[in-house]
Amino acid sequence: MEKIPDITSDTLDKLRKLDINSVYQLAIQSPSELALEINDVYFDVESAARLIGNTRKILIENKILSKEFSTGDDLLEKRNKISRYSTGSSHFDAFLNGGFETQSITEIAGEFGSGKSQICHTLCAAAITLMKNDGLDANDNGCSTQRAPESIIFIDTENTFRADRVYQIAEQKNLDPKDILKRIYHCNVYSSEQLELLINDLPKSIEQYNTRLVIVDSIISLHRAEFSGRGTLAERQQRLGKMLNKLRRYADI
Ligand SMILES: Nc1ncnc2c1ncn2[C@@H]1O[C@H](COP(=O)(O)OP(=O)(O)OP(=O)(O)O)[C@@H](O)[C@H]1O
Ligand SMILES: [Mg+2]
C-alpha cells in the first residue's frame, strides 16, 4: 500500500486500524463509507474517492482491473476469457449458455424446495474443476510463491449445507471428494447484521483462503425474517442493495 500515489503514513496507519491492509482491500471500499469510518475532518469523501481511485489505477496497471473506459475489443477479449462452471446437467447448462459464468454474480431464485441449495452443493464440486490446487502463484519477480490452494467460501444462513451431499456429488462426478471438502470454507450466519459484517470483511477472507467462488445460501432469508411489514421494506431493500453492490465490486476484481 506504501506504493499508492500521495498516500501519507498517517492515512496508512488509519487504514490499518480499520484492518485494511492491502491494495485489493482498499480498492473495493466505497468512498462515503471509508470517509465515515476514518472519521477525520481532513479526510472527506473527495479525499477517500481520490485515494481509492489511485489504488484502482495500480490494479489497472497490473491488469487485475479493467480500465475506467475500455474499448469494445478490450471488452470482447475480457468476455472471451470468462469461463463457465458446468452444472453437470446438459439441459441446465444449455439453459445457462454453458454453465455459471465466472467473474460475475449469479442470483438463483425459485420456490421453496425447487432445488436452489442443491445447485449450490453441485456448484462446489463443479467449480473446483476450474481451480488450481497447487497453490502456486507468480509474484512481482515472476517467481512462484506458495499460497493456499484456490477455494470456495460457503456462507450459510439457513444451516442447509451438508458436507456429505458434496461428497456424494463429487464421487458421482469422479472427483476427489476429500480434496473438494478441504477447499470449502463454510460459515454459519444467524443474523442480518452478522451477514452484512461478513460481506463487508469478505475481501480479507478471500485473500486469506485464496477464494475463487463465494456462495451465499441464502442472501435474503435473514433480512426477510427480520424486516417484516411494509414499513421496513425500504430499509431492507437498501441494506440488501448495499450487500449486492459490495459483492459486485468483489466479483469485478
Ligand atoms: N441428498 C439428496 N439427493 C437427491 N435429492 C435431494 C437430496 N437432498 C435434497 N434433495 C432434493 O432437493 C429438494 C430440495 O431442494 P433444496 O433444498 O435445494 O431446495 P431450495 O430451493 O433450496 O429450498 P428452500 O427455498 O426451502 O431453501 C428436495 O425436494 C429433494 O427432492
Ligand atoms: Mg435452500
Side-chain angles (χ1 to χ4, degrees):
M1 291 214 293
E2 290 78 5
K3 289 183 188 159
I4 299 168
D6 304 331
I7 197 161
T8 62
S9 53
D10 185 42
T11 310
L12 272 172
D13 284 346
K14 284 180 179 145
L15 290 171
R16 288 195 177 119
K17 273 189 195 135
L18 293 173
D19 217 8
I20 298 173
N21 297 307
S22 73
V23 170
Y24 168 66
Q25 285 169 21
L26 183 55
I28 52 183
Q29 299 297 319
S30 115
S32 52
E33 282 178 18
L34 185 66
L36 199 71
E37 281 176 10
I38 285 206
N39 192 21
D40 176 339
V41 280
Y42 298 108
F43 192 89
D44 55 10
V45 179
E46 249 179 67
S47 321
R50 215 173 310 117
L51 180 66
I52 293 169
N54 285 342
T55 311
R56 291 176 76 90
K57 272 185 205 153
I58 295 183
L59 294 178
I60 292 169
E61 279 161 17
N62 286 290
K63 296 202 178 344
I64 295 168
L65 198 62
S66 311
K67 284 176 261 179
E68 204 165 354
F69 286 96
S70 305
T71 56
D73 57 346
D74 280 345
L75 290 177
L76 181 66
E77 196 188 320
K78 191 176 173 199
R79 184 86 205 141
N80 288 339
K81 276 190 197 153
I82 290 179
S83 313
R84 285 171 188 272
Y85 303 127
S86 161
T87 59
S89 152
S90 53
H91 291 296
F92 199 44
D93 283 351
F95 176 70
L96 294 167
N97 284 331
F100 288 101
E101 276 185 4
T102 56
Q103 295 176 41
S104 62
I105 299 182
T106 304
E107 186 183 2
I108 306 173
E111 284 181 21
F112 300 116
S114 57
K116 301 180 294 292
S117 298
Q118 289 301 309
I119 291 174
C120 294
H121 285 73
T122 306
L123 196 52
C124 288
I128 290 281
T129 58
L130 288 185
M131 293 181 192
K132 285 187 258 168
N133 71 354
D134 57 5
L136 287 181
D137 232 7
N139 65 16
D140 293 347
N141 311 319
C143 304
S144 288
T145 52
Q146 193 69 38
R147 290 189 76 183
E150 293 184 339
S151 72
I152 296 168
I153 288 182
F154 198 114
I155 301 174
D156 191 355
T157 66
E158 296 181 320
N159 198 13
T160 46
F161 178 79
R162 296 288 174 271
D164 52 332
R165 182 68 183 131
V166 176
Y167 196 104
Q168 209 177 32
I169 296 170
E171 268 189 329
Q172 192 211 354
K173 289 176 178 290
N174 288 324
L175 300 166
D176 178 358
K178 286 189 181 150
D179 172 57
I180 294 178
L181 289 175
K182 263 191 215 143
R183 290 159 64 189
I184 297 174
Y185 292 88
H186 172 265
C187 172
N188 265 323
V189 180
Y190 302 97
S191 71
S192 60
E193 284 88 3
Q194 194 194 347
L195 179 63
E196 286 168 21
L197 275 176
L198 192 71
I199 290 193
N200 205 32
D201 291 341
L202 208 50
K204 275 171 239 154
S205 314
I206 290 175
E207 278 203 313
Q208 182 180 354
Y209 301 125
N210 198 9
T211 301
R212 289 288 170 269
L213 171 70
V214 176
I215 297 174
V216 188
D217 186 16
S218 106
I219 193 147
I220 197 164
S221 60
L222 293 169
H223 288 73
R224 189 167 45 206
E226 290 174 32
F227 294 82
S228 56
R230 275 175 171 263
T232 61
L233 194 63
E235 188 187 348
R236 181 181 95 176
Q237 292 311 99
Q238 195 189 17
R239 288 171 64 168
L240 280 169
K242 269 191 179 175
M243 283 197 297
L244 283 171
N245 194 16
K246 281 186 183 139
L247 289 173
R248 196 175 66 85
R249 270 185 272 148
Y250 304 161
D252 224 26
I253 304 181

